[in-house]
Amino acid sequence: MSRDPVPPAPAPSRRAVMALLALGGTGSLAACSSLPMDGDVFQSDAVDEGGDVLVQTAPGPVDGADPVAIVEGFLRACTAGLSDGFATAREFLVDSAADSWQPLAPLLLASDAQQLTVQRADDGGVSISGRLEGRLDSTGVLSAEGVDYSTTLTLVTTSAGQWRIASPPPGALVQGSVLRTAFTQQSIWFLNAARDRAIPDPRWLPRKRLEEASIEALLAGPAAWLEDVATSAIPSGTRLQDVKIVDRAATVRLHADASSWDSETQALAVAQITDTMKGIGGIDTVVVTAGEQRLSAQVTQLDAAAEPGAVVGMSGGAVVRGTSTTRAVLMQPSTLGTPAARYPSLGVDGGVCVVSGPSILRVAPGGTQAASILSVGDSPADAAVLLPPRQDRHRWIWTASQGGLIVVDARGVRAEVAAPWLEGRSVISMDISAESARIAVRHRDAAHPSDSSGERVDVAEIIRDGDGRPTALGDPYSVTGLTGQGAHELAWYSVTELIALEPAQEDQGTPSLAVAALGGLDATRSPGPPGVTGIAANRLDQTMLLSDPNGQLWSRGSGTWRVISTTVTDAGYPIM
């Protein structure tokens, strides 16, 4: 025998709420609903003053709606919430929840390919389940890892007898496509510890106030995953007053007393602000003021790294620089002590490293004989798992053997680099960023190194001591879209992008180049030339060369691939 529920008190216990849900509205809760999150969300022709930002609206709660309909309406209102400040979404919540709910901490991005499902839960609540593409935190840092999502919401009836949500999810649920519509990816520019190189910090920021949001992100400091290597010349406590854009010129006014800022601080601060603002389309010049004072007009040029110069490779057993017939010979086979050296790496000091069998040989600047600085085994088979060496700006040499990361100096002295997240993992490929503050790593389960199903690509900061010696890798920041499909190789394609190769599939005749931005939701793909297996990228501006097993080196110009050399192999760009 059943009876109608008694309306609950304004603040019932969870047990009372579950009992109410079990007793009332049984018929309306029994059905399972696959939520069309784009339904009942309307696009308006209205745009924000600041740019072409599409405004979306959604209806508020309907009188008499059952709990499932309330949750569905709430999710639709979340989708439109980036246009109305989530005002409509809060109408679906009880007053106390509406006041405390933080929809952007984080913003939960539901998969566009799989609709969320809303249904009555076993405990009488209303459950939401589906797939998340990622999470966007309140600072604009995107964690783009696909995960299954499930939560159960508690609903209560108000004094007016209307169902409302008492326990909203921690963060608004929106479709991933909403992120691309309402936000844009923007690099915020910080400095390395020596303040002689720039480090980009990619964020997703709202389009409708992009200029202000960019400067606020800069003033707040680097993202957590970069905070040990990225710093700012702008003194702590500096606040933004406003940003004005007139005829492609931006004026950034800061709340700060700059009378104590020395000329270097002013120049670097203006450089950070200028580079950050010029990443926004339509801005050519930037003026920065603090209080009533205009800051330095002599802007320090911030480069992610020096120009890498010509590609280095092997030709006839010699280390050469350049790919033309006039290329320079850096090391003869007699200097290397072997005619079979591979994978040359040129350091900032002019020293050259090569792989020879299971060893790494190094020729010091001006040296006449190579010395072995690392040996990983005694057989040629060991060489197959010795990754091509990378010499960073601090003169440390990075490689991996049998899946384990190895870092040595010019004498072969190893640096113990702590990286807990690589424990039990096997390093398949890696590359060092142009400013040498970040490392990109492709890695798998070490217990099953031939199984690529658990493969990941992560970027982490390289933490160093005062002498530049690597001591640890920071927490990994996942990069999506570069695993699966037999993807291999890994290189920095620009200061914020990585590139990988995917072999030709049965239904296509050429390999694919997969490019993923840090903090992006997926990779973009384009066809490469037939049979290529190697990538050499200069880490700065999407300049790259591809190699194939036939000794051909490919370059792309005007959208067309062509062979530029048949005599240079193992190509790579130096870090300068």
Side-chain angles (χ1 to χ4, degrees):
M1 176 173 138
S2 64
R3 56 187 176 86
D4 293 334
V6 177
S13 67
R14 179 174 175 83
R15 178 176 297 179
V17 170
M18 293 301 101
L20 284 166
L21 285 171
L23 289 169
T26 303
S28 62
L29 283 172
C32 170
S33 172
S34 181
L35 176 64
M37 291 186 68
D38 56 347
D40 294 343
V41 176
F42 306 100
Q43 296 180 346
S44 168
D45 291 334
V47 295
D48 184 84
E49 298 177 341
D52 297 330
V53 181
L54 194 64
V55 174
Q56 293 182 317
T57 62
V62 176
D63 287 348
D66 62 59
V68 169
I70 289 295
V71 173
E72 291 177 345
F74 168 72
L75 292 176
R76 294 189 181 98
C78 283
T79 296
L82 295 170
S83 295
D84 69 2
F86 296 95
T88 303
R90 294 181 194 275
E91 295 178 13
F92 291 85
L93 311 180
V94 298
D95 290 344
S96 58
D99 292 338
S100 62
W101 184 50
Q102 298 183 30
L104 298 178
L107 190 66
L108 306 176
L109 307 173
S111 171
D112 292 315
Q114 178 181 328
Q115 294 179 336
L116 293 174
T117 297
V118 179
Q119 62 183 353
R120 180 182 175 180
D122 293 339
D123 63 2
V126 176
S127 69
I128 305 172
S129 60
R131 184 79 175 166
L132 293 185
E133 285 187 293
R135 300 168 185 262
L136 185 71
D137 72 15
S138 58
T139 69
V141 175
L142 177 66
S143 299
E145 295 188 71
V147 294
D148 292 329
Y149 176 80
S150 179
T151 189
T152 299
L153 307 186
T154 300
L155 284 81
V156 298
T157 56
T158 66
S159 58
Q162 302 299 319
W163 288 104
R164 293 294 182 266
I165 299 168
S167 61
L173 268 163
V174 303
Q175 288 175 292
S177 57
V178 173
L179 177 76
R180 302 175 182 91
T181 301
F183 289 74
T184 187
Q185 199 170 27
Q186 167 78 359
S187 285
I188 310 301
W189 287 94
F190 293 98
L191 306 170
N192 64 350
R195 308 211 303 186
D196 64 351
R197 291 289 187 270
I199 300 177
D201 184 350
R203 309 286 185 93
W204 285 90
L205 301 175
R207 292 180 184 273
K208 66 180 180 180
R209 56 183 306 272
L210 179 58
E211 295 84 1
E212 293 84 355
S214 297
I215 300 302
E216 288 167 354
L218 176 59
L219 298 180
W225 74 276
L226 282 173
E227 62 185 3
D228 290 314
V229 298
T231 186
S232 178
I234 304 171
S236 177
T238 302
R239 295 180 296 112
L240 176 65
Q241 181 174 336
D242 58 36
V243 179
K244 301 293 185 184
I245 311 292
V246 178
D247 295 333
R248 304 181 70 87
T251 300
V252 178
R253 297 197 298 170
L254 305 175
H255 280 298
D257 180 5
S259 60
S260 62
W261 297 12
D262 60 33
S263 58
E264 181 186 14
T265 297
Q266 287 196 32
L268 287 172
V270 172
Q272 287 182 253
I273 292 171
T274 298
D275 282 14
T276 297
M277 290 297 291
K278 284 188 174 181
I280 302 171
I283 296 177
D284 295 332
T285 60
V286 180
V287 173
V288 183
T289 66
E292 300 300 320
Q293 178 183 350
R294 176 175 176 176
L295 299 187
S296 174
Q298 299 298 317
V299 180
T300 299
Q301 185 67 35
L302 291 183
D303 291 320
E307 289 297 322
V311 67
V312 174
M314 301 299 304
S315 181
V319 178
V320 299
R321 191 165 194 174
T323 59
S324 68
T325 55
T326 58
R327 54 184 173 262
V329 176
L330 301 182
M331 298 291 166
Q332 293 284 1
S334 57
T335 303
L336 299 174
T338 173
R342 298 200 64 186
Y343 307 121
S345 175
L346 177 64
V348 294
D349 61 354
V352 173
C353 290
V354 295
V355 172
S356 176
S359 300
I360 290 182
L361 309 179
R362 183 176 186 271
V363 180
T368 59
Q369 186 175 3
S372 175
I373 61 171
L374 176 67
S375 183
V376 298
D378 300 320
S379 70
D382 294 319
V385 292
L386 186 62
L387 293 188
R390 303 282 190 259
Q391 295 194 66
D392 69 26
R393 292 184 57 247
H394 303 271
R395 304 183 185 183
W396 287 88
I397 301 152
W398 299 70
T399 185
S401 174
Q402 301 291 346
L405 194 65
I406 301 174
V407 188
V408 298
D409 67 8
R411 299 166 298 166
V413 177
R414 293 200 187 198
E416 297 299 324
V417 180
W421 54 277
L422 281 177
E423 293 178 4
R425 306 291 293 177
S426 181
V427 176
I428 306 302
S429 56
M430 61 89 192
D431 195 17
I432 306 296
S433 64
E435 82 293 333
S436 297
R438 300 165 293 163
I439 184 173
V441 183
R442 180 189 298 279
H443 55 102
R444 298 177 183 169
D445 183 354
H448 305 91
S450 60
D451 181 6
S452 63
S453 61
E455 190 171 283
R456 291 173 54 94
V457 171
D458 289 304
V459 172
E461 58 184 351
I462 301 173
I463 302 170
R464 304 175 188 267
D465 64 17
D467 296 324
R469 181 189 186 94
T471 59
L473 302 184
D475 292 336
Y477 187 53
S478 180
V479 181
T480 61
L482 297 180
T483 60
Q485 300 294 320
H488 60 93
E489 295 292 297
L490 186 65
W492 285 95
Y493 188 47
S494 72
V495 293
T496 58
E497 297 171 299
L498 298 176
I499 187 169
L501 272 173
E502 294 177 352
Q505 304 300 309
E506 293 182 0
D507 57 344
Q508 65 181 56
T510 61
S512 293
L513 297 169
V515 176
L518 271 62
L521 284 173
D522 203 354
T524 59
R525 288 168 173 80
S526 61
V532 292
T533 56
I535 302 174
N538 77 356
R539 303 175 176 86
L540 290 175
D541 58 6
Q542 302 181 341
T543 297
M544 66 171 170
L545 299 173
L546 302 179
S547 56
D548 64 29
N550 298 319
Q552 298 183 118
L553 206 56
W554 295 78
S555 177
R556 182 171 57 188
S558 302
T560 302
W561 289 100
R562 64 187 182 91
V563 175
I564 62 169
S565 174
T566 58
T567 56
V568 175
T569 62
D570 299 334
Y573 286 91
I575 298 174
M576 292 292 165

